[in-house]
Amino acid sequence: TIDSQITQDIFISYSPIKTLRLIASVQNISDRQPSFDAASGFFDTSQYDLRGRYARLGFEYRFK
């Protein structure tokens, strides 16, 4: 049996003008590590992400 895992993410977008959108997100805010799978001797990477907490910044600009 492998323990369950819950991660929390946050996503924010802001449009200061009609053609521009600023984007920020943080994945796995609590930085929880995946449960260990004793049967395989490792983490189940098909269902869990080993990166831990990570952030993304971006923007979208639309030409008219």
Side-chain angles (χ1 to χ4, degrees):
T1 303
I2 300 173
D3 293 337
S4 64
Q5 180 185 12
I6 296 174
T7 60
Q8 298 154 344
D9 308 328
I10 189 168
F11 177 85
I12 299 171
S13 70
Y14 172 65
S15 296
I17 58 176
K18 282 178 106 176
T19 57
L20 178 65
R21 187 171 125 186
L22 306 172
I23 302 163
S25 69
V26 178
Q27 308 293 84
N28 194 4
I29 292 172
S30 60
D31 199 22
R32 292 214 36 205
Q33 295 299 314
S35 301
F36 184 74
D37 181 3
S40 69
F42 198 64
F43 301 103
D44 185 358
T45 57
S46 68
Q47 297 189 40
Y48 300 113
D49 192 346
L50 294 177
R51 290 183 284 188
R53 180 187 313 127
Y54 64 97
R56 293 183 183 182
L57 296 173
F59 70 93
E60 178 181 283
Y61 186 80
R62 296 182 186 204
F63 297 94
K64 285 192 168 193

